[in-house]
Amino acid sequence: MNIFAGKMQTVAFLFRQTLLILLVLFFSGTNIYSSELKDLELNVIPYPQQVQLGGDDFNFSEELTIVVENNHSEADRFAAEELVSDLKKEWGIDAKIATQKGRKSIVLSRTHASASLKEQGYRITTSGNELFISAKSEAGLFYGTQTFLQLIKKVREGFQVPGMEINDWPDIKKRAAHYDTKHHQDKRSYVESFIKDLARYKMNQLVWEWEDKLAYEKHPEIGAPGAFTIAEMQEITRYAKKYHVELIPLVQGLGHVSFILKWAQYKHLREIADSNWEFCPLKEGTYNLLFDLWEEAIEATPGSEYIHIGSDETYELAACEHCQARAKEIGKSGVYHLFVKRAAEHLQKLNRKVMVWERPMGWKQNSSPVKNFDLAKGLVLTESYNYGTSNFEYVKESKELGYEVYAYDPNPGIEPLFLPYKFKFKAGNKTAGSLENSYQFLTSAAMSGAFDGMINTSWDDSGLHNQMWMLSFVTSAEYSWSGSKPTLEEFEHSFYKNYYGSSAIDLEELYCLLNEGAYYYAWTLERNVWHHGTIGKTHLPDIPRNDNIEYDPYWNKEYSEKIQESRQMLGKMKRALSIIENNKNAGVKNVYDFELYRTLAKLIEHTCLTYIDLSELENTITRAHSLTFIDKQQAYQHLEQAQELIETSINRREKVYNDLVETWEQTRLPKGMSTPDKEFFFQQDRARHFAFRTADMSYLIYDEELLDMEGYLERFKKYMRYYKEEVGAF
């Protein structure tokens, strides 16, 4: 029986492997795999649906004609102008726009597009003297130009696009990046460059969670100092539209509303008097206030189809006496959907589709499901960590009820500094990183055909710089566009070369080092005490006392494992800093990212050195104690060395922190800043977000500050004066 069972397991395994290969072949629609472009050293993202190599190469020099049709639209003209600009910036190619072909031409056409082209699709074909990009839609034509820019190779005679035909279209039509600025505000120049980066990779929606980063006119106190005005946001919205990116406002509704309810004049609208986190959904004033904010958000985003009302993490839902009574009638989930329905009915009258953080059929798959209550119609469901079954049964059921459903590529992690792209730690065990998780989910979601859209979330809870999310955004862009290919390994390689340039080196190693270093940072000092409630606190070595430099030599014993870990991590951060410097010297693209990586590595390095300094501090006190009976002058000299160690650590912390702030603020406003006209009102909320521990950027060194090394230094110097003057060290 055991032999028979083993044979059956082998047969079953082979059957599954064969079936998997057949499915990949079926869904790919082509026999040309991503390795074909890889062999040509072309790192195209997203990878096209169909690639047929062959035919004449398109060879050209530094002069090129971009041909537009006589009846071209304003959007077609913009695509051509952007192509001219990017060719000059990225390749040094001087191109001109004309309606007639030149000696070497890129032809942009929407009148000669094949009827078989799908929505947002395009076709690229090469010949000896021209490259032809055709599409039925303006977005498709723009996407064709973005792919063309990634097909160019530098050759001895100039430039070349190898002979090929590409037919391309998205598996998922709406591809959104969630952009969370609850704890910071990026400068407009950065926002616009970010939008252009998303468009390069064919993302077409930006769900912007701006909270207090809009200067609301009816309730001006809610907007933070320096917030974008409605006019400015309108300009950014129109800018995004040129790149075929829809800017969708996300103004939190039921929960996540401390930016509203921290103000005394709105305190009466809270579900719980002592918590600024959540509105009471039964109070009329809740809707009057939110309708004002949402209407201004709609005004700020002209032409957008959607609005997102958030409403997740409703920790206090149905906690007040009146809501408890209502929950008995319609269920706790019913109270939630009572709020959503009231909000949706108002916003739908303003011609906006309403997005909400709700999972497909979540109102049924709930510990307190909806009862005796009719849900809002036409909602857009944008969250789920578990779709119930592998065939997305709940998604299909929700769609049958008339809801749009977005595939939810969730937040990679809430770890400070960097994202767990390569691996995560759960309960002390090392597990797959976010890249693998996104790949596994999105490939199946894209090929299922079940979803109307995809949303990649990037919560600002831990205060990462937005550039740290770029690989996450591009991963979602890749596999929501083309779910059947490439392999994750090839995609990751392509990303490093595509985004940072062909000269980029050792980036997979760098990402692994920063991934590991961020976990080390998160589990040092009191950081995890704050975030997860883990018991543990770092102390300072014992300060000497009495005439003979008496002290308790506990520190190196207590923290021996952390000292060893710090020494190991110190070497890894030195390697990370070396990789960063090598790439900067190699002339990579997006070099600002490497400046950001440097600030992270230096902060982690500083943490390592802090533990090593404290270890050496106790050792130095030990040596001073040993010498006090032999040579008090030498003992005092060791105390001076100990003082220098403390001062060095304090000064290093300030230098590292100031450098980090200066680097990050190249693209963002000072965190928690006040202006001459308005003071920032800082009040913590019940979420205990890592980035909101302090109003400014010092949340990154808050735990070092809690050590109070400055106070320790003063107490240490006081003892030194005593030892010198009273004991008679000299």
Side-chain angles (χ1 to χ4, degrees), residues 470-489:
M470 192 55 65
L471 175 54
S472 178
F473 292 136
V474 179
T475 304
S476 295
E478 170 66 71
Y479 291 110
S480 58
W481 180 277
S482 178
S484 63
K485 54 195 171 185
T487 65
L488 181 58
E489 180 183 11

Side-chain angles (χ1 to χ4, degrees), residues 48-219:
Q49 297 281 1
Q50 295 178 348
V51 179
Q52 181 65 52
L53 300 182
D56 293 334
D57 299 337
F58 176 54
N59 296 294
F60 56 102
S61 61
E62 295 181 357
E63 293 185 3
L64 194 60
T65 301
I66 310 299
V67 182
V68 295
E69 295 173 318
N70 289 323
N71 60 344
H72 65 270
S73 68
E74 183 178 340
D76 296 339
R77 181 77 185 190
F78 179 79
E81 291 171 347
E82 280 295 292
L83 183 55
V84 169
S85 175
D86 290 339
L87 285 169
K88 181 64 176 179
K89 178 182 177 181
E90 297 176 26
W91 297 99
I93 296 171
D94 291 312
K96 62 180 181 180
I97 299 174
T99 56
Q100 300 293 324
K101 296 179 183 179
R103 189 174 65 86
K104 297 285 184 176
S105 303
I106 307 294
V107 180
L108 307 181
S109 174
R110 288 201 298 115
T111 60
H112 294 88
S114 169
S116 64
L117 278 177
K118 298 182 180 181
E119 186 177 345
Q120 301 180 45
Y122 63 90
R123 175 173 293 166
I124 295 177
T125 57
T126 62
S127 64
N129 294 319
E130 71 177 36
L131 183 141
F132 197 84
I133 304 175
S134 61
K136 291 193 292 186
S137 68
E138 293 172 340
L141 195 67
F142 176 78
Y143 292 149
T145 65
Q146 299 308 293
T147 296
F148 160 66
L149 286 165
Q150 300 175 60
L151 294 172
I152 300 171
K153 297 181 65 176
K154 187 76 174 72
V155 294
R156 182 177 300 177
E157 300 79 12
F159 305 94
Q160 179 186 89
V161 174
M164 68 179 70
E165 178 179 305
I166 288 177
N167 288 283
D168 200 13
W169 64 89
D171 284 334
I172 298 178
K173 294 178 181 178
K174 297 171 183 177
R175 304 165 299 281
H178 164 248
Y179 176 42
D180 187 3
T181 57
K182 68 165 64 75
H183 295 316
H184 79 281
Q185 181 173 341
D186 291 314
K187 295 178 181 178
R188 178 172 172 176
S189 57
Y190 175 82
V191 173
E192 292 181 347
S193 69
F194 174 50
I195 289 170
K196 186 171 180 178
D197 280 344
L198 293 178
R200 168 61 65 92
Y201 299 111
K202 304 181 177 64
M203 296 286 264
N204 60 3
Q205 291 182 328
L206 182 65
V207 179
W208 188 347
E209 185 171 349
W210 62 46
E211 294 201 349
D212 60 352
K213 304 311 184 296
L214 182 70
Y216 301 98
E217 295 178 354
K218 292 181 182 178
H219 304 276

Side-chain angles (χ1 to χ4, degrees), residues 327 329-338 358 362-375:
E329 299 174 7
I330 61 176
K332 192 172 180 180
S333 184
V335 176
Y336 175 84
H337 276 278
L338 183 151
E358 171 65 296
W363 48 92
K364 289 177 61 177
Q365 315 300 323
N366 191 291
S367 59
S368 179
V370 171
K371 58 184 179 181
N372 306 317
F373 183 79
D374 293 328
L375 302 177

Side-chain angles (χ1 to χ4, degrees), residues 495-508:
F495 171 78
Y496 297 139
K497 295 298 183 181
N498 183 300
Y499 193 72
Y500 295 112
S502 58
S503 62
I505 54 173
D506 298 326
L507 291 193
E508 182 175 5

Side-chain angles (χ1 to χ4, degrees), residues 306-308 348 353-358 377-383 402-406 452:
Y306 296 83
I307 185 171
H308 203 306
Q348 287 165 349
K353 293 182 179 180
V354 178
M355 292 177 156
V356 64
W357 296 126
E358 171 65 296
K377 305 296 183 183
L379 294 175
V380 185
L381 312 176
T382 58
E383 180 177 0
Y403 300 115
E404 288 186 34
V405 182
Y406 273 53
D452 300 286

